[in-house]
Amino acid sequence: MRGKLWFVGGLAAGFVLGARAGREKYEEIVQQARKMMDHPTVQEAKGTAQAQANRLVSEGKDRLSHTKIGEKMSTSSGTGNGANTSELTSSTTSASSAAPTKPMP
């Protein structure tokens, strides 16, 4: 089922990118895609996928906390959440000030 959805999505994207039918056809495709995304079945699948992803992340964090690396991370941070926030902040700040980036459209 997932493969079929990817295939249909690829067809739609290919048509939109390669179409020469004009703006009207593009708007029609966009409207149909939005209608499909708002369908209750698609929304239910989206919620199920999100719940499963959250569960997997939680399990991964739990498994990591029981390893030597996880234990080392939690004892070195002192917060018990596995991340040293001062290191994250300083590395993020220095990385963001190193090179300006273009704003995303």
Side-chain angles (χ1 to χ4, degrees), residues 36-56:
M36 182 186 73
M37 291 304 293
D38 290 337
H39 194 276
T41 304
V42 174
Q43 292 296 318
E44 183 181 336
K46 178 182 168 187
T48 302
Q50 183 65 46
Q52 186 174 8
N54 290 339
R55 181 182 57 81
L56 291 172

